[in-house]
Amino acid sequence: PLYLREMGFTAAWANGFTGKGVVIADIDTGFDFKNYVLTQGIDFSAYNWNFIDHNNNVQDDNGHGTMTASEMVADPHTGYGVYGAAFDAELMVLKVLDASGKGSVSNVCEAIYYAVDHGADVINMSLGQHYPNLQLLTAMKYAWSHDVVVVAAAGNNGGNSPSYPAAYGQTFSNVIAVGASENSHSGVDLASFSNHAGSTQPYNYVTANGVDLIGFGIDNT
């Protein structure tokens, strides 16, 4: 498909970059383990954890975590047009957001420490808040000091700068802030809702397709 070539997935796969040997911690709403199509071919970590209820039940009750996970690790052969960018990676599901998509900074920070201490190579956080937070800054520094890559959503408010923790990309070299792009008549533009980079100083701000994506939600949707 055209969008795969645009995003560079097929070129990456052809060069052996399929995620093999990489552990991705997805700090989100959980994962829909009832979706038997999606779960096929996914290598799950033994360290999945629910930071809301303090147990290992990380079943998704919102859909957002399943969506983000499917974009990262769904087996390209499962069908439905969903392609995981790093389909060979191991997925560590860390639930910090509830059914409404809300969560506490303390739980997010606890999940960051947990991910680092349990072998994550990459932490994905498709979440954010408007203001900096010392507790969050300290957790991000911990990931940086252990060479763990943190990928964080720039935000969907159309703001001039990323939300937090993505904005900490201007502080720590291991943080990648991700904005949303969309196809247009002139090529590829920043999506209208996406937060901008917001700095003239170079740091890791990238964009990826954020409009008309196909992914899995809950209830086999």
Side-chain angles (χ1 to χ4, degrees):
L2 178 61
Y3 86 93
L4 282 179
R5 293 199 296 270
E6 289 173 345
M7 297 181 76
F9 287 174
T10 51
W13 296 342
N15 284 278
F17 298 106
T18 61
K20 190 172 183 62
V22 175
V23 178
I24 301 174
D26 194 22
I27 299 178
D28 210 296
T29 64
F31 184 92
D32 186 9
F33 288 89
K34 299 175 183 178
N35 186 328
Y36 299 110
V37 172
L38 176 58
T39 54
Q40 293 178 49
I42 294 181
D43 182 15
F44 291 101
S45 169
Y47 299 111
N48 300 336
W49 194 252
N50 182 326
F51 292 87
I52 301 172
D53 297 327
H54 308 290
N55 58 37
N56 62 1
N57 180 7
V58 292
Q59 174 63 33
D60 192 355
D61 49 7
N62 173 278
H64 189 268
T66 302
M67 171 66 178
T68 58
S70 67
E71 297 301 305
M72 294 188 289
V73 296
D75 189 328
H77 301 103
T78 56
Y80 298 95
V82 181
Y83 298 79
F87 58 86
D88 275 336
E90 180 179 309
L91 181 67
M92 184 188 300
V93 183
L94 303 181
K95 182 175 173 59
V96 301
L97 304 178
D98 62 20
S100 65
K102 304 294 184 181
S104 69
V105 172
S106 60
N107 279 350
V108 171
C109 292
E110 189 178 354
I112 293 172
Y113 288 115
Y114 180 95
V116 174
D117 291 342
H118 288 80
D121 301 293
V122 178
I123 294 173
N124 181 75
M125 290 188 285
S126 296
L127 48 78
Q129 63 177 31
H130 296 302
Y131 305 106
N133 178 279
L134 181 58
Q135 186 182 9
L136 183 58
L137 174 66
T138 305
M140 297 290 281
K141 185 177 181 180
Y142 187 75
W144 168 79
S145 68
H146 288 77
D147 296 320
V148 175
V149 174
V150 177
V151 183
N156 298 334
N157 308 111
N160 293 324
S161 60
S163 58
Y164 292 88
Y168 288 126
Q170 300 175 49
T171 305
F172 301 115
S173 59
N174 65 312
V175 178
I176 302 172
V178 184
S181 62
E182 63 180 338
N183 295 326
S184 68
H185 294 298
S186 59
V188 179
D189 296 324
L190 194 69
S192 60
F193 58 82
S194 178
N195 289 15
H196 293 241
S199 175
T200 58
Q201 298 299 316
Y203 73 100
N204 295 321
Y205 178 98
V206 301
T207 61
N209 285 14
V211 177
D212 296 330
L213 291 178
I214 299 173
F216 284 100
I218 54 176
D219 302 322
N220 291 311
T221 55

